[in-house]
Amino acid sequence: MPAYTADYVFPVSSAPIANGIVETDASGTIIRVSDPASAGFTAPASPPEKVTGVLIPGFVNAHCHLELSHLKGKSATGKTLLPFLVDVVTMRDVPQAEIDAAIAEQDRLMWERGIQAVGDICNKLDTAEVKRNSPIRYYNFVEMFDFLQPDRAEASFDQYVPVHSGQPSPKSAVPHSPYTVSEPLYASINALNRGTETVSIHNQETLAEDELFLTGDGDFRAFFEGFGATLDHFRAPGTPSIFHAMQHMDPRKRTLFVHNTLTTEEAIFAARAWGENGVYWATCPNANLYIENRLPRYERFLRTDAKVCIGTDSLTSNWQLDVLDELRTISRYQSFIPFPTLLRWATLNGAEALQFDAEFGSLEVGKRPGLLALRDLEGDEPANFSIGAGTRVQRLS
């Protein structure tokens, strides 16, 4: 049976183990995680392979748009959210062979970069076949929107039902964002989710989003007009957008709020009180910088003990689909976040959000979470480890 040891093993669900040993069976299922310094320790039957770096479980990419992989580099950086959304809507139709090739390549690269599971947004069926044959476990969020037009809700919902039917499980129907989903469409989405699904929604990415729900004014009015829609019927509730979303989403579903660039501590506490089966917060730092050159205030999530996950967003808004590079960005710009906290964000929290934690997210007996060697960390012990420009990952299983 394969066995590995390193200067430190990070199970994530428990404290790091100096000179720890991880043993797996041929399928990658963990059969033992041991501490040579513990009483009663017995060595593996064969000497473990010594690995440079530290041993960690595979990454979980909690928010991705794999189907947009063919748009890499086609939307300029720094455009801000609304012009970026116009690009996504108007630039995505290219020859199907190009779309398929980009999806397959990025699925392969995510696996090589240590990503074990992905929460993936789907508007079409383009990714379904790759997912059925991928070593990565996908949770498929079939995303729906009607540009906040109640009279379009039924037709919009009907066009997404075949996408939902054709995606492999696990899957759920989800609203795109507070500013693109009408009340009737929320109701149809909620009715389609009949089990214990996780759902997601894009949340508070730009000042204009909260302005729309606080006052009814701002840049979104011109944005909607550009797509032949009107907001004449819309009455602003006078609250930030996340409170409007919570009024119309199902609190019984595990909920993943995505981006959260402007989310406050008040909203975090309110969401926690609202959600009956857990609330999680996906951050996609490279995408936030790519689109608006802004990052969330992560200290708000630390102070509230919020369950943060890591996402990559899409190649329309990122340079690569790479969880390690997201951690590198956070470490560069908000270095006060401890390495063990970042590691949990990138593994176990994401697995819990996607309800994959029985198998992924931590190095525990009976799980098959993937095993990675994280190399060239800065610092010389767990208390001061950090992810630097030269930190890299190697997949072991």
Side-chain angles (χ1 to χ4, degrees), residues 67-68 70-71 88-94 99 123-124:
E67 69 186 19
L68 300 181
H70 61 289
L71 295 180
V88 172
V89 173
T90 60
M91 296 169 56
R92 63 184 298 168
D93 291 329
V94 301
I99 295 172
N123 302 116
K124 298 182 177 182

Side-chain angles (χ1 to χ4, degrees), residues 324-344:
L324 177 58
D325 199 61
E326 303 297 325
L327 300 181
R328 184 178 291 113
T329 294
I330 296 173
S331 296
R332 181 185 303 130
Y333 291 104
Q334 300 199 26
S335 60
F336 57 85
I337 304 175
F339 171 76
T341 299
L342 285 179
L343 186 57
R344 188 180 184 97

Side-chain angles (χ1 to χ4, degrees), residues 7 24 115 221 230 242 256 285 295 307 322 335 375 388:
D7 290 342
T24 72
I115 295 173
R221 287 196 171 272
T230 176
I242 187 172
L256 183 61
L295 289 175
K307 292 190 173 182
D322 185 349
S335 60
R375 297 180 170 173

Side-chain angles (χ1 to χ4, degrees), residues 238-272:
T239 63
S241 62
I242 187 172
F243 292 90
H244 180 269
M246 288 189 289
Q247 287 179 351
H248 300 291
M249 296 177 72
D250 187 344
R252 297 169 296 179
K253 304 300 182 187
R254 186 162 299 185
T255 302
L256 183 61
F257 292 101
V258 178
H259 291 302
N260 316 302
T261 318
L262 300 170
T263 301
T264 64
E265 292 179 37
E266 177 191 10
I268 294 169
F269 284 126
R272 180 179 297 159

